[in-house]
């Protein structure tokens, strides 16, 4: 369940008994069911479920929908904080493009006639990379294991020349890698793209150069507020999309 947006993650399933197995794994500890597959049945500690019995599966799906909707209702304070953070991002010139049913979110900003900025992230792209905990390049580690880290990309487009930053968002921004693509660079689908020199790992750069790149992004509006927004938005959107997914699966089983 949502708990002050501590970024509770969950997996997705696509088949009927896979969905039921996933639902079982999301139960509270005193409700958990150790299951085994036996043909068309899922064996649990309490009962066996024939996966062809869609009405039983429907009941489980309904229960999960109700629980997750309650979780959303309980997260009104988180929603309020997210809207405040969204206001900061929009006041900084970013337009948020978010389509229901999609996991990807895009933010765009037109700096001037020659320059635009795009920020893209996927709400499912959470990482536990230890290096991503050092956001300022100062060698400090974050001891809060509950903080989720989300991958995102920044593209600065100046007259068709692209400067791309692969980043992580957590307590702050951490740059993983920087790529430069001049006008006329091959498309990623082109085999020639693999021959492009993509630069060193960001952590291999001199500390003062790392700091200057972080300052560059901050001046573009991509700093601590953006990191917090990406984490909060990813968590809330994933929760809402998960509820919609449950509802759609339940509807298909009725």
């Amino acid at each position: 369940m949502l708990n002050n947006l501590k970024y509770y993650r969950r997996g997705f399933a696509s088949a009927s008994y896979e969905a039921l197995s996933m639902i079982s794994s999301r139960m509270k500890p005193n409700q958990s069911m150790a299951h085994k597959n036996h043909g068309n049945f899922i064996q649990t500690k309490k009962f066996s479920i024939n996966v062809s019995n869609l009405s039983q599966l429907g009941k489980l799906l309904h229960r999960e929908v109700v629980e997750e909707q309650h979780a959303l209702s309980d997260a009104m304070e988180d929603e309020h904080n997210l809207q405040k953070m969204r206001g900061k991002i929009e006041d900084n010139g970013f337009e948020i493009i978010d389509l229901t049913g999609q996991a990807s979110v895009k933010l765009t900003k037109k700096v001037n006639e020659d320059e635009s900025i795009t920020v893209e992230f996927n709400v499912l792209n959470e990482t536990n990379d230890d290096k991503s905990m050092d956001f300022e390049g100062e060698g400090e580690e974050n001891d809060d294991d509950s903080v989720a880290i989300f991958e995102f990309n920044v593209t600065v487009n100046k007259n068709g020349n692209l400067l791309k930053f692969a980043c992580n968002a957590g307590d702050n921004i951490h740059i993983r890698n920087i790529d430069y693509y001049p006008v006329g660079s091959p498309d990623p689908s082109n085999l020639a793209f693999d021959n492009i020199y993509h630069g060193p790992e960001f952590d291999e750069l001199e500390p003062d150069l790392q700091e200057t790149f972080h300052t560059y992004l901050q001046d573009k509006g991509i700093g601590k507020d953006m990191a917090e927004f990406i984490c909060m938005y990813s968590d809330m959107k994933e929760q809402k999309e998960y509820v919609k997914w449950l509802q759609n699966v339940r509807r298909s089983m009725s």
Side-chain angles (χ1 to χ4, degrees):
M1 303 301 175
L2 287 177
N3 181 17
N4 292 325
L5 289 179
K6 289 300 182 181
Y7 320 123
Y8 176 72
R9 316 312 311 154
R10 55 187 66 81
F12 287 80
S14 58
S16 58
Y17 57 83
E18 289 174 342
L20 182 55
S21 175
M22 181 205 67
I23 290 169
S24 299
S25 68
R26 293 169 51 84
M27 291 180 179
K28 299 181 179 65
N30 62 353
Q31 292 178 314
S32 63
M33 299 184 296
H35 64 269
K36 297 181 180 179
N37 291 336
H38 298 281
N40 289 330
F41 290 82
I42 294 178
Q43 180 70 41
T44 74
K45 290 182 178 180
K46 293 185 177 181
F47 51 84
S48 297
I49 300 173
N50 188 330
V51 295
S52 64
N53 187 349
L54 300 184
S55 62
Q56 181 62 43
L57 180 56
K59 291 177 182 178
L60 292 172
L61 288 167
H62 176 73
R63 182 201 62 205
E64 186 73 358
V65 168
V66 171
E67 289 183 356
E68 295 299 331
Q69 287 177 329
H70 286 164
L72 283 173
S73 298
D74 293 340
M76 292 306 295
E77 181 179 353
D78 294 329
E79 179 75 35
H80 176 69
N81 292 335
L82 175 59
Q83 292 307 317
K84 287 171 56 178
M85 185 58 64
R86 177 177 184 139
K88 288 184 179 182
I89 298 300
E90 292 177 334
D91 289 344
N92 209 3
F94 284 96
E95 177 187 359
I96 301 169
I97 303 172
D98 176 9
L99 300 179
T100 299
Q102 295 190 5
S104 297
V105 180
K106 180 184 292 186
L107 286 71
T108 60
K109 177 179 180 179
K110 188 174 181 63
V111 179
N112 52 50
E113 290 300 320
D114 300 322
E115 180 180 347
S116 63
I117 301 172
T118 302
V119 177
E120 297 175 282
F121 61 94
N122 186 303
V123 302
L124 300 177
N125 283 356
E126 180 181 350
T127 178
N128 295 316
D129 184 1
D130 292 338
K131 291 190 296 183
S132 66
M133 305 308 287
D134 175 15
F135 296 104
E136 294 298 334
E138 298 174 354
E140 297 180 0
E141 293 184 359
N142 188 327
D143 294 329
D144 186 358
D145 293 334
S146 65
V147 175
I149 309 299
F150 291 92
E151 298 178 355
F152 72 102
N153 297 305
V154 179
T155 302
V156 180
N157 185 332
K158 285 189 175 182
N159 295 314
N161 299 296
L162 306 181
L163 189 61
K164 293 193 172 187
F165 297 80
C167 305
N168 288 347
D171 287 341
N172 210 317
I173 299 296
H174 171 77
I175 301 172
R176 302 194 315 274
N177 194 268
I178 302 173
D179 284 327
Y180 174 69
Y181 302 104
V183 174
S185 295
D187 187 86
S189 61
N190 192 314
L191 292 178
F193 181 82
D194 294 333
N195 293 324
I196 296 177
Y197 175 69
H198 294 283
E201 290 295 321
F202 184 77
D203 291 339
E204 296 176 1
L205 300 176
E206 292 296 326
D208 57 345
L209 184 55
Q210 293 182 38
E211 182 177 354
T212 302
F213 273 121
H214 276 109
T215 300
Y216 173 83
L217 285 184
Q218 289 171 6
D219 291 342
K220 301 292 185 183
I222 303 165
K224 191 177 182 68
D225 283 348
M226 181 64 76
E228 185 175 353
F229 171 78
I230 289 174
C231 291
M232 294 175 68
Y233 198 92
S234 294
D235 190 71
M236 186 64 73
K237 177 175 171 62
E238 197 275 339
Q239 178 77 5
K240 292 178 179 179
E241 293 294 345
Y242 176 66
V243 171
K244 291 186 181 72
W245 178 85
L246 283 171
Q247 292 171 330
N248 289 335
V249 174
R250 181 184 62 181
R251 191 176 299 113
S252 71
M253 298 294 180
S254 61

